[in-house]
Amino acid sequence: MPRKTLASFKVEYQQLMNEKGDVDEKVAAIDPEFAKRCYELMTLVRVFDAKAVAMQRQGRIGTYASVLGQEAAQVGSALALQESDYLLPTYREAGALIARDSPMHQLLQYFGGDERGSAYEEGINNFPIAIPISSQIPHATGIGWAMRLKGHKAAALVYFGDGASSRGDFHEAINIAAVMKANAVFFCQNNQYAISLPRERQTLAESIAQKAISYGVEGLQVDGNDVLGVHKAVSDALQKAYTGKGPTLIEAYTFRLGDHTTSDDAKKYRDPKLVEQWQKRDPLARLRVYLRQKMLWDEDYEKSLLERCAKKVEDAVVRYESTPAAPLTDMFDYHYAQLPQNLAEQRREVM
Amino acid sequence: MTVMNILEAVRDGLRQELKADPDVVLFGEDIGRNGGVFRTTDGLFDEFPGRVIDTPLAELGIVASAVGMAAYGMRPVVEIQFSGFVYGAMEQLISHAARLRNRTRGKFTCPMVLRAPYSGGIRALEHHSESMEAFYVHTQGLKVVIPSNPYDAKGLLIAAIRDPDPVIFLEPKRIYRAVKAEVPDGSYVVPLGRASILREGTDITVVSWGSMMKSVLDAATELQGKASIEVLDLRTLSPMDTASIIASVEKTGRLLVVSEEPRTCSVAGEILAQVAERAMLSLQAPPRRVTGFDTIMPLYKMENDYIPSKDKIMKAILDVVSY
Ligand SMILES: Cc1ncc(C[n+]2csc(CCOP(=O)(O)OP(=O)(O)O)c2C)c(N)n1
């Protein structure tokens, strides 16, 4: 008997502003002032990022994972969040975290080997940075599910890379979120590499976005270097989540311009020509073109913006470096609500 | 003989077995073209085409594939980038790798090796510095090996690859490059399950392994003339060479165990228990251990306050000797 088609699918790609700075207002109306705000935050992220890499080289912080090239994906997505939403980052999310009010001195503290870097003030709903790949994705399912059970108009936005999509955590997270209609948005930054492994060797699928389909979830690929497009896609997905329509998987198609981390040397496995090609698609460049057309950008503005950003970053560095070391007893004091006897005894050894 | 560090010795061990046995394959994350994040497998990708394989990022999948491959008669050697990332594959290790022989009464076996760097002290990110060897020692059916020097690293690794049972091979990353020694060229085996005496003495037995061994030896050197210290390198934590420990303690009458693990339910604790049960009457002082704390391994600003220092070890040795 002939085979029947049970279902067929399409996988869509969305862009609002292309590499040349042209926008398609049919997709969404654009507020030039918002574009400018994105540009300023992305610039701040880039200045912070360069400083963090330099500080690692000088031994002032430990291993750091650069955001270079992914500023649009991170800032565009994080700016879509409301205050009560939750953000769940990996180690490569300095951009999203800065856009979501994580103080920069605390980011330096975390990468500087100090747990206080994850102790944000009340009201900043950013989870601590997850290092074990993919392990944080199901937490967004849990948070988003709880939000739905409690009837809160809020959602969880979780970040991860293309590599993370190969682990079971990712698949289990989306499947449960789908079945439970959790208020979750799964945000994959496909930056084409997981350390040395190129995306084509990570999965034979044409996109990460299409992985959602097998769980009955909407998957969308967006130009990850298009900050406005990313913002629109994440805002739509959040709206869907707030209104009980379940989770979305968004794949931001982008590129890691730097090394994997400060301990890595990408020249060992990545063709520099590929990097050059992607440099031409720098997410800040297209915004600059657009803002100039709107008379919102010129050389003087750029200069003063860079100065303002450098000052903010410098203040954060000073605050990080002038914070007195935590007492050694901190090593013991946060394991349980109440210090157990064995830890109390060992705590005395460091006093 | 060639002078090598521990990384190079591990690489040479892998090379010998890739050459000797066509059933040996290496797979894991970034071990191919990139040569591994510590460069342990550097060059092997080109030297052994198709046998040093980059996998997708999936620890459970990597370990489970190795179980299947080993059961089918190959000799997979998998790398997990850091021991802190083995946890996603624990079910496979505990419920399958370790049990396959027993469940099938020997019909299926699991001759695989899982290599992973462990221990702290390199200012690494969170989850990159733990010493959780007790998890594996507590898993019946696994063998657990931790070398502390280049000679043992190569010989033990070759023995592990040839071993008919699954072996967890933890590499002491803090001293990967810090310890260098002459290593014989070609293939040789350091048998699993046997401790080695690195230094003979008559006042106290200090048992240690892996990353802590360098500090233990430095401490012993510094205490030269103050105490006659016997240093025993456990090398294989499971199965444990209890006989060698007992023989040494019967000779010295004193015991100190130095390890980087959290204290409670540590391998160090097991050694103390063995000695208490079998050699109590030979002891002239209460046996002691110097370990990490029962805390989560702190981020790097405090890691050197967690890891037993040479001074702490020296003080403990003198305390036990002068009890
Ligand atoms: C469970 C786990 N395995 C391995 C690692 C080591 N590691 C750190 S980052 C990385 C690659 C991650 O790639 P991807 O998910 O694409 O994110 P990206 O770093 O490119 O942002 C690996 C293998 C880890 N941190 N966690």
Side-chain angles (χ1 to χ4, degrees):
Chain A
M1 259 166 263
R3 290 183 183 180
K4 294 186 289 191
T5 301
L6 292 181
S8 46
F9 306 99
K10 62 176 190 238
V11 189
E12 291 188 322
Y13 174 83
Q14 180 178 298
Q15 195 181 41
L16 239 178
M17 177 186 288
N18 68 15
E19 288 87 337
K20 298 195 209 94
D22 305 328
V23 293
D24 182 353
E25 302 243 13
K26 284 202 293 293
V27 181
I30 291 171
D31 171 6
E33 283 302 327
F34 179 70
K36 187 172 161 191
R37 180 165 165 231
C38 291
Y39 182 75
E40 296 193 349
L41 262 172
M42 286 160 68
T43 305
L44 177 63
V45 169
R46 188 162 284 191
V47 171
F48 172 85
D49 195 65
K51 183 73 187 180
V53 171
M55 286 176 72
Q56 189 282 333
R57 303 281 184 237
Q58 297 157 348
R60 294 157 76 187
I61 59 170
T63 309
Y64 173 76
S66 168
V67 193
L68 191 66
Q70 298 177 221
E71 296 89 347
Q74 298 202 4
V75 169
S77 53
L79 285 185
L81 293 168
Q82 302 177 1
E83 215 173 285
S84 52
D85 294 331
Y86 269 57
L87 182 159
L88 294 92
T90 78
Y91 48 85
R92 202 183 299 291
E93 261 68 75
L97 287 169
I98 290 171
R100 190 77 191 325
D101 298 327
S102 283
M104 287 184 283
H105 75 273
Q106 283 190 280
L107 293 177
L108 293 173
Q109 249 174 343
Y110 180 75
F111 289 105
D114 184 338
E115 282 81 355
R116 292 173 298 179
S118 301
Y120 298 132
E121 264 173 35
E122 205 50 48
I124 299 182
N125 295 325
N126 298 344
F127 241 47
I129 284 169
I131 305 276
I133 302 299
S134 213
S135 59
Q136 77 287 5
I137 307 176
H139 303 155
T141 298
I143 294 171
W145 183 3
M147 286 164 165
R148 198 177 84 77
L149 290 175
K150 285 170 142 314
H152 293 169
K153 186 180 168 291
L157 172 66
V158 60
Y159 290 76
F160 51 94
D162 39 304
S165 73
S166 291
R167 291 227 337 167
D169 318 39
F170 163 83
H171 298 271
E172 296 180 31
I174 298 185
N175 188 47
I176 295 180
V179 171
M180 302 303 165
K181 282 212 178 337
N183 298 4
V185 180
F186 300 98
F187 188 73
C188 175
Q189 288 168 88
N190 169 7
N191 64 6
Q192 313 302 330
Y193 280 85
I195 309 188
S196 68
L197 199 72
R199 153 60 189 85
E200 334 57 274
R201 296 272 303 151
Q202 194 66 248
T203 169
L204 294 188
E206 294 87 343
S207 71
I208 307 283
Q210 75 200 59
K211 301 204 177 231
I213 294 169
S214 59
Y215 302 108
V217 165
E218 182 197 350
L220 173 69
Q221 191 184 73
V222 296
D223 178 350
N225 288 8
D226 164 15
V227 69
L228 302 175
V230 169
H231 182 261
K232 157 110 180 87
V234 175
S235 301
D236 291 349
L238 288 168
Q239 278 310 322
K240 221 174 96 183
Y242 300 149
T243 50
K245 300 201 184 81
T248 310
L249 170 63
I250 296 171
E251 173 187 4
Y253 196 83
T254 181
F255 193 80
R256 186 192 89 210
L257 286 172
D259 292 328
H260 168 70
T261 64
T262 47
S263 335
D264 175 55
D265 177 10
K267 283 197 286 301
K268 199 137 193 242
Y269 52 78
R270 204 171 63 172
D271 187 351
K273 282 202 213 83
L274 185 64
V275 181
E276 278 167 34
Q277 279 169 26
W278 276 91
Q279 266 157 351
K280 294 192 191 118
R281 296 163 71 175
D282 184 331
L284 279 109
R286 70 180 72 174
L287 264 183
R288 225 174 271 141
V289 175
Y290 169 84
L291 291 172
R292 192 203 287 257
Q293 283 162 5
K294 300 278 170 199
M295 313 291 278
L296 290 170
W297 188 94
D298 62 24
E299 298 287 347
D300 285 344
Y301 163 77
E302 178 77 11
K303 204 167 145 245
S304 83
L305 173 62
L306 285 173
E307 275 163 16
R308 273 184 284 145
C309 292
K311 168 89 173 61
K312 277 190 196 161
V313 170
E314 204 42 53
D315 289 349
V317 172
V318 169
R319 179 143 181 215
Y320 158 62
E321 292 190 324
S322 61
T323 303
L328 286 180
T329 47
D330 270 13
M331 208 194 300
F332 301 88
D333 290 347
Y334 296 93
H335 282 66
Y336 302 96
Q338 254 181 338
L339 189 72
Q341 190 204 323
N342 65 323
L343 282 184
E345 261 172 39
Q346 294 176 20
R347 188 178 186 273
R348 267 176 240 128
E349 293 176 35
V350 304
M351 283 169 74
Chain B
M1 289 282 197
T2 310
V3 173
M4 290 184 190
N5 62 28
I6 294 177
L7 274 175
E8 292 160 341
V10 168
R11 183 187 309 142
D12 200 36
L14 294 170
R15 177 183 291 120
Q16 298 305 329
E17 284 308 279
L18 280 162
K19 263 194 222 160
D21 182 352
D23 279 332
V24 171
V25 288
L26 273 45
F27 56 97
E29 295 160 14
D30 306 287
I31 69 161
R33 184 169 308 286
N34 196 38
V37 293
F38 286 99
R39 301 286 178 256
T40 317
T41 53
D42 215 9
L44 300 180
F45 179 77
D46 292 323
E47 202 174 328
F48 299 96
R51 295 173 63 199
V52 181
I53 305 161
D54 283 322
T55 62
L57 202 171
E59 283 75 14
L60 182 154
I62 292 167
V63 172
S65 302
V67 172
M69 207 181 259
Y72 194 70
M74 290 187 71
R75 295 268 162 171
V77 181
V78 301
E79 177 181 300
I80 298 296
Q81 222 156 64
F82 289 87
S83 62
F85 304 136
V86 176
Y87 309 149
M90 282 307 249
E91 175 174 74
Q92 289 297 325
L93 286 177
I94 296 171
S95 304
H96 293 293
R99 296 172 66 105
L100 196 54
R101 177 186 294 278
N102 182 62
R103 292 172 71 213
T104 62
R105 291 296 183 258
K107 171 150 193 322
F108 286 109
T109 61
C110 192
M112 62 175 280
V113 176
L114 185 161
R115 296 178 37 244
Y118 88 105
S119 80
I122 63 161
R123 287 166 56 94
L125 281 165
E126 200 173 357
H127 311 288
H128 289 66
S129 305
E130 285 73 9
S131 298
M132 305 304 257
E133 49 267 45
F135 286 166
Y136 310 106
V137 174
H138 203 65
T139 301
Q140 311 74 26
L142 298 180
K143 293 187 177 179
V144 184
V145 175
I146 308 186
S148 73
N149 59 65
Y151 176 85
D152 284 351
K154 178 171 165 183
L156 286 168
L157 181 57
I158 293 174
I161 297 173
R162 294 182 188 173
D163 197 88
D165 288 305
V167 179
I168 308 297
F169 191 86
L170 297 175
E171 300 174 6
K173 81 165 94 71
R174 177 164 73 251
I175 56 169
Y176 254 157
R177 296 186 178 83
V179 177
K180 289 189 188 142
E182 289 210 319
V183 171
D185 299 325
S187 210
Y188 65 92
V189 162
V190 172
L192 304 191
R194 272 197 238 148
S196 83
I197 306 283
L198 295 184
R199 205 185 150 108
E200 294 199 24
T202 51
D203 293 338
I204 182 170
T205 301
V206 181
V207 177
S208 192
W209 56 89
S211 289
M212 282 316 306
M213 192 49 83
K214 184 169 183 304
S215 309
V216 168
L217 290 173
D218 290 349
T221 306
E222 238 176 278
L223 289 176
Q224 192 116 34
K226 295 208 179 105
S228 168
I229 301 166
E230 179 140 307
V231 176
L232 187 141
D233 185 347
L234 200 54
R235 301 197 294 194
T236 300
L237 278 63
S238 177
M240 191 182 285
D241 184 1
T242 316
S244 293
I245 300 172
I246 301 297
S248 175
V249 171
E250 281 173 347
K251 180 177 86 174
T252 63
R254 296 180 188 85
L255 172 70
L256 175 73
V257 185
V258 179
S259 94
E260 199 167 323
E261 317 158 89
R263 195 166 301 163
T264 299
C265 278
S266 58
V267 178
E270 173 61 21
I271 295 170
L272 259 63
Q274 292 281 354
V275 167
E277 282 181 351
R278 300 182 195 210
M280 181 73 108
L281 300 179
S282 307
L283 289 173
Q284 296 169 40
R288 267 192 59 184
R289 54 188 157 159
V290 176
T291 64
F293 299 113
D294 287 326
T295 65
I296 288 160
M297 181 76 188
L299 296 189
Y300 82 76
K301 285 242 161 78
M302 287 187 195
E303 68 178 339
N304 290 328
D305 298 292
Y306 174 96
I307 301 168
S309 65
K310 187 184 68 184
D311 287 351
K312 241 191 212 174
I313 298 167
M314 280 168 43
K315 180 167 182 306
I317 291 174
L318 293 176
D319 283 354
V320 174
V321 169
S322 64
Y323 179 81

